[in-house]
Amino acid sequence: MPELLNNPEILRLLELSKNGLLFAVWETLYVTVVATLFAYVIGLPLGVLAVAGGEGGVLPLPRPVMAVINFVINILRSVPFLILMVIVIPLSRLIIGTSIGTVATIIPLIVAAFPFVARLVEASIREVDKGVIEAAQSMGCSPFQIIWKVMLPESRPSLISGFTTAFITILSYGAMAGAIGGGGLGSMALNLGYQRQMKIILWVSVVVLVILVQIFQSAGTRAAVRLDRRVGDKARRKAARKRKAEKAGLQ
């Protein structure tokens, strides 16, 4: 036991737990939340336009405009994140003033995430029953009303699931940002755990990331299920059948 406590890796881990681990978790969550927010500010309208502005959509846009939107989304999605981080370094310097540090990683995270978010939103909105949209059009609703009051509310459970997927993906991207000087758990795992051969710190960082992913995945799945009216209707029908059977059994 004394030998274990005198182990340099254990002592370093205890020091990090007291001074750095919680701060690394905070940096990771801060970057992920901010990057996800801005990714949705850009990606949500693009995803809506990809559906509403297409041929047969509620708000048809000129083909050149749609071609540009799809090209931007596809070209950014096709670039691996590590390469994209390097490409976006000049943009980070222009906006933030530096390309190193926790805040500087937000810019490449946004650039990498908003095309992914756009496709997730597009997939969610395409799941909306066309009959509901046609009914809204027959009632004289404007394209904005159809988007805001029909398409987005009807696709809400799928949008929540997509948000969870995007959040976890950005969380994993943020961990990789440690390779270019970013902070958080990724920096701790790479700089201390891997490069300095402190395996305990490496595994602790990985375990904390796994725990964070599990927490957010469970919360997102639960929220999507609760908002899904189809699941709610099925549960209510099942409960009604159960009450009816119990009542018949008592009689």
Side-chain angles (χ1 to χ4, degrees):
M1 189 70 175
E3 294 179 0
L4 182 63
L5 293 177
N6 290 328
N7 189 305
E9 291 191 8
I10 297 295
L11 294 175
R12 182 61 175 164
L13 178 61
L14 292 174
E15 182 183 349
L16 285 172
S17 300
K18 188 166 54 177
N19 301 320
L21 182 59
L22 292 178
F23 184 70
V25 173
W26 158 249
E27 282 187 319
T28 299
L29 293 178
Y30 169 74
V31 169
T32 303
V33 170
V34 174
T36 304
L37 175 63
F38 280 98
Y40 264 86
V41 168
I42 302 172
L44 181 61
L46 288 178
V48 172
L49 287 178
V51 179
E55 188 176 352
V58 298
L59 186 64
L61 295 176
R63 286 189 177 181
V65 175
M66 294 301 300
V68 170
I69 291 175
N70 285 306
F71 175 78
V72 170
I73 294 173
N74 291 335
I75 197 68
L76 290 177
R77 283 198 65 196
S78 62
V79 180
F81 178 64
L82 286 174
I83 298 175
L84 187 63
M85 283 195 299
V86 176
I87 295 175
V88 179
I89 283 177
L91 182 61
S92 299
R93 288 175 180 165
L94 178 65
I95 298 175
I96 306 295
T98 180
S99 60
I100 300 174
T102 302
V103 178
T105 61
I106 295 176
I107 303 302
L109 282 174
I110 295 172
V111 175
F114 85 80
F116 180 62
V117 168
R119 289 306 185 202
L120 288 175
V121 172
E122 178 186 358
S124 297
I125 293 179
R126 288 193 186 280
E127 294 178 1
V128 177
D129 187 358
K130 292 183 179 180
V132 178
I133 298 175
E134 292 173 357
Q137 288 175 321
S138 65
M139 294 172 62
C141 295
S142 66
F144 178 79
Q145 289 175 324
I146 294 173
I147 292 171
W148 186 253
K149 296 185 177 181
V150 178
M151 297 173 71
L152 290 176
E154 288 292 323
S155 60
R156 189 166 50 182
S158 182
L159 287 173
I160 295 296
S161 297
F163 176 85
T164 305
T165 302
F167 190 89
I168 292 173
T169 301
I170 294 172
L171 180 65
S172 65
Y173 282 172
M176 286 189 286
I180 61 166
L185 292 169
S187 176
M188 182 179 292
L190 290 172
N191 298 331
L192 296 176
Y194 177 72
Q195 293 182 0
R196 297 188 184 181
Q197 296 297 314
M198 297 180 180
K199 295 182 179 179
I200 293 180
I201 296 176
L202 174 62
W203 283 109
V204 167
S205 302
V206 172
V207 168
V208 173
L209 283 170
V210 170
I211 292 172
L212 291 175
V213 169
Q214 293 299 321
I215 291 173
F216 292 118
Q217 182 65 65
S218 299
T221 302
R222 183 172 298 181
V225 170
R226 291 186 64 179
L227 291 172
D228 195 339
R229 292 184 300 177
R230 293 170 298 180
V231 176
D233 293 340
K234 184 178 180 180
R236 283 192 291 271
R237 289 195 299 268
K238 184 177 180 180
R241 288 196 299 267
K242 184 177 179 180
R243 288 194 299 268
K244 187 176 180 180
E246 290 176 351
K247 185 177 180 180
L250 292 174
Q251 292 176 351

